[in-house]
Structure formats: C-alpha cells, structure tokens
Amino acid sequence: MEIARTVDDVRTAVRGPRSRGKNISLVPTMGALHVGHLSLLEAARKTGGFSVVSIYVNPTQFAPSEDYQQYPRSFDPDCDACRNMGVDLVFAPSDTEIYPPGDQTRVRPGPLADGLCGPFRTGHFEGVCTIVAKLFNIVGPDIAFFGQKDAQQAVIIQRMVEDLRLPVRVEVRPTVREPDGLAMSSRNVRLSPDERKQALTLYGALCAAQDRLQSGERSIGRTVAAMRTVIAAYPEIKVDYLSIVDPATLQSVSEPAGKMLIAGAIRIGQTRLIDNIIVEVERS
Ligand code: AMP
C-alpha cells in the first residue's frame, strides 16, 4: 500500500491503474477509522479496481467553536487498517496541499444545506462540498463511497455531483452500528461510560418514531414529541433537532407517507452526535 502526501503523487499513482483500464474508487474520511469506515473500504475493494482512501481532517468544515483541535487522530493504526482491507493508496495531504497559499475558492451548496445540521453548523456543508470537490478533482475517481450515517451530507454531495457535472458515481452505504444500536462514529471514543449510555437514547428515539409510524400513527407532531420524550430521560442531553423529512429533498413532511428520513442530532457534554433511519409507510 502506498501513502501519498501530495497531489502530484496521487495523480502519478492512479495514472498506471487507470491506463490499464482499472476503475478508481475513493473513500473520503477524516481518519480515526472504525468499522463503519471499514464497510466503505470493503465496498471499494469489492469493485475490483484501484482503491484510494483519503485521510484528512478538513479544517474548513469545522466552525471556530467546534472540535477541530480535539477531533481524534490515529494515523498509524488507520494505515494498518487500510492495509488489512486491501486499500491500494492512502492520500494524507497537508493543509497547504489542499488549501494552497492564497486559496479562496469555495463550493457552496444550495437549500439542501439549510435544514437539519445546517443551522447548527455554520459553513459546515460548504467546507464538506469544497473538500469533496477537491478530492474528486485530485483523485479522479469513477466511484466514491459515502455513509448513510451522514444522510444530509450524502444528499448534498449527490446534488453537487449532478450540478457540477462531475464524472463520478456516488454510492451510499448503510450505517454500521454497535451491537446495542449506537451508530459508529469517530467521536464515540470521547464519550465517558455514562455519556455512552446517554448516547444510545438517540437511536432509541429514532426507533420509537419508526415504531409509531409503522403502527399507523398519522401525526408527525406526536411522533416528534415521542422522540423528545425518549431523550428527556437524560435532562443533561441537549437536542439540536429531531426531525422527519423527505429523504431526497430534506424538507419536513407534514403527514406520514412513503419514505421518510427520521434524523436527529444531540449534544452530550462536548460531543455532538448524529444519527438517522429511513422508514417507509404506505401512502393512504
Ligand atoms: P468521517 O471520517 O466521519 O468524515 O466519515 C467518512 C465516511 O464514513 C463518511 O461518508 C461517513 O458517512 C462514513 N461513516 C461514518 N460513520 C459511519 C457508520 N457508522 N456507518 C457507515 N458509514 C459511516
């Protein structure tokens, strides 16, 4: 497995496999790899092409008040994991490689970024679109893998690919969970044992909403209230949002029908956690 630090090195590394007709796949990550990431690496490996994993904690997707400095970093174990998963190339650039001196250009998403996490993370999705567009431009992947765990991110990236006419196929893979249901996240390592228990209420709330809707509940308001009741078991948890939206437009739904994305974000101490599930009910 090769480790590339520069744009030139990546372009050189992918040239050979591409000229031999191999597909290039890309899994963008911020490192601190867990089993959720590994499921994306596995999907990339299964394409049979040349697989690239980027490991880069992107500063522009963190607001000044956020945890950029505290974000977990574990480069050597991450490289071992990539090697074990059969990854061909790790791209681990410096900040100046990604944001060259004088850098000022950004990719700004549209209204898909206005709801859910948008109001709580100013500039986050602009930072995400910018780094993903840069990575696509540097690596030139045929296919890129993202996780459903970051549902809003996945929808925004798919829109960006369409809007900018980027020649890449985006594939979104299911959320990988701990045995008790907690969505795997790099930030979970920062939870104390007590906070870890509290964290599980987010998935509990999503499941409560799913159960209600699948049992014929006709009120979105009552369903959201039921989610809040689950979280209220721990008054120290701060809810950013608990929402039920259309999975494609991310607009709130007024009544249960078809596919719906049940999504939430909570803060436990210094840690912000997100999760979502998709539920489908028959249209009446
Ligand atoms: P991150 O390193 O957190 O930026 O995540 C890199 C990629 O891994 C993103 O596409 C995430 O959606 C995906 N991902 C993160 N956690 C999970 C998970 N639990 N299951 C599946 N994919 C995940």
Side-chain angles (χ1 to χ4, degrees):
M1 187 184 80
E2 204 180 322
I3 297 174
R5 299 282 184 180
T6 67
V7 172
D8 281 350
D9 287 348
V10 175
R11 292 200 167 128
T12 304
V14 297
R15 199 170 295 135
R18 186 176 286 128
S19 69
R20 292 193 295 278
K22 284 219 171 198
N23 273 337
I24 311 296
S25 62
L26 172 67
V27 180
T29 82
M30 297 205 297
L33 300 184
H34 52 66
V35 177
H37 296 113
L38 301 192
S39 73
L40 304 183
L41 270 47
E42 173 69 4
R45 194 184 59 77
K46 280 195 179 144
T47 64
F50 184 85
S51 58
V52 182
V53 174
S54 60
I55 297 180
Y56 179 61
V57 184
N58 172 38
T60 64
Q61 69 189 72
F62 291 80
S65 60
E66 292 183 347
D67 59 348
Y68 172 70
Q69 297 295 346
Q70 291 77 38
Y71 195 84
R73 289 163 171 85
S74 55
F75 186 65
D76 291 340
D78 288 351
C79 285
D80 292 342
C82 288
R83 211 171 278 114
N84 289 337
M85 294 298 294
V87 169
D88 293 301
L89 177 72
V90 165
F91 178 40
S94 64
D95 286 340
T96 47
E97 199 61 23
I98 294 295
Y99 298 101
D103 162 90
Q104 54 178 250
T105 306
R106 295 290 178 269
V107 179
R108 185 167 55 81
L112 287 171
D114 288 349
L116 302 178
C117 288
F120 300 95
R121 302 200 66 188
T122 312
H124 170 68
F125 289 112
E126 180 172 308
V128 168
C129 285
T130 301
I131 182 61
V132 172
K134 282 175 184 260
L135 290 169
F136 285 175
N137 204 28
I138 294 164
V139 177
D142 300 284
I143 179 163
F145 293 92
F146 292 85
Q148 175 64 22
K149 157 90 180 350
D150 297 86
Q152 185 175 18
Q153 166 174 286
V155 172
I156 290 171
I157 295 295
Q158 283 168 312
R159 185 72 251 166
M160 176 184 80
V161 162
E162 190 69 32
D163 290 349
L164 299 185
R165 295 296 193 221
L166 301 176
V168 54
R169 186 158 68 81
V170 169
E171 198 171 309
V172 181
R173 308 288 305 171
T175 301
V176 178
R177 300 180 178 281
E178 301 283 358
D180 63 3
L182 181 70
M184 291 197 179
S185 162
S186 301
R187 291 186 168 98
N188 290 350
V189 298
R190 299 217 314 255
L191 298 169
S192 69
D194 192 44
E195 290 175 335
R196 169 69 179 73
K197 244 179 263 159
Q198 298 176 25
L200 195 55
T201 55
L202 178 54
Y203 183 57
L206 302 178
C207 290
Q210 179 183 44
D211 289 349
R212 266 188 111 92
L213 291 168
Q214 285 179 336
S215 317
E217 172 64 82
R218 303 301 308 153
S219 161
I220 294 293
R222 276 197 301 268
T223 309
V224 172
M227 286 199 274
R228 287 194 172 268
T229 304
V230 174
I231 305 279
Y234 294 102
E236 53 272 58
I237 297 179
K238 185 185 169 302
V239 174
D240 273 1
Y241 64 84
L242 292 165
S243 304
I244 302 177
V245 300
D246 181 296
T249 65
L250 305 183
Q251 296 291 311
S252 294
V253 299
S254 51
E255 60 182 61
K259 274 194 183 165
M260 293 166 282
L261 179 76
I262 310 171
I266 60 173
R267 290 171 199 261
I268 300 175
Q270 299 301 306
T271 309
R272 185 174 188 275
L273 299 173
I274 59 170
D275 197 359
N276 68 86
I277 49 182
I278 289 187
V279 60
E280 184 163 15
V281 300
E282 279 182 19
R283 294 180 187 277
S284 51

